[in-house]
Amino acid sequence: VQLQAFGGGLAQSGGSLTLSCATSGFALDRKSIGWFRQAPGKEREGISCVSGRNTYYTDSVKGRFTISIDKNTVYLQMNGLKPEDTAVYYCAADLSGTSWSYSDCGPPFEYDYWGQGTQVTVSS
């Protein structure tokens, strides 16, 4: 099982970036895939996750970010970026699917495999 996250970079406030999480070694259906981010000095937080056709967004990104799946890749389209979106972004897979809920992505420890992280920096 492998996950590779890429697509981060530098964006201006109001700009857009698309993160990709290439997965291998397992089938995406019936699994939960989450996008997490961790800013300096802060805990890692789940910002968006998908399980089948179900998606979740935390309030701070709702309406700006969109999670989607195409074959074995999970995307996070990020529009309307803000300086507070600056963080290292990770994708993670929960192969049991037990982390899924409509209220949050579940805690990081419920995810079995992680991508390496990609830095997103948003300038004001």
Side-chain angles (χ1 to χ4, degrees):
V1 174
Q2 285 190 329
L3 292 87
Q4 291 183 307
F6 52 95
L10 179 64
Q12 292 186 334
S13 182
S16 300
L17 287 172
T18 300
L19 304 184
S20 302
C21 178
T23 71
S24 61
F26 66 100
L28 279 174
D29 59 310
R30 301 181 184 179
K31 309 299 189 298
S32 296
I33 304 296
W35 280 101
F36 290 75
R37 69 185 180 188
Q38 188 165 20
K42 295 188 177 181
E43 293 187 353
R44 191 170 297 189
E45 64 166 335
I47 58 170
S48 182
C49 44
V50 58
S51 180
R53 296 182 178 182
N54 301 307
T55 59
Y56 165 82
Y57 301 93
T58 195
D59 286 346
S60 62
V61 307
K62 195 175 296 180
R64 300 188 297 122
F65 292 9
T66 303
I67 193 169
S68 62
I69 296 176
D70 182 20
K71 297 180 180 178
N72 295 324
T73 301
V74 182
Y75 298 94
L76 186 68
Q77 174 67 44
M78 306 187 295
N79 298 326
L81 284 165
K82 303 176 181 180
E84 52 263 43
D85 293 320
T86 296
V88 178
Y89 284 68
Y90 302 88
C91 60
D94 166 20
L95 301 189
S96 66
T98 58
S99 65
W100 171 259
S101 78
Y102 287 101
S103 61
D104 57 44
C105 290
F109 69 78
E110 289 191 347
Y111 287 76
D112 310 290
Y113 296 93
W114 291 79
Q116 77 281 17
T118 184
Q119 175 71 46
V120 171
T121 303
V122 183
S123 61
S124 57

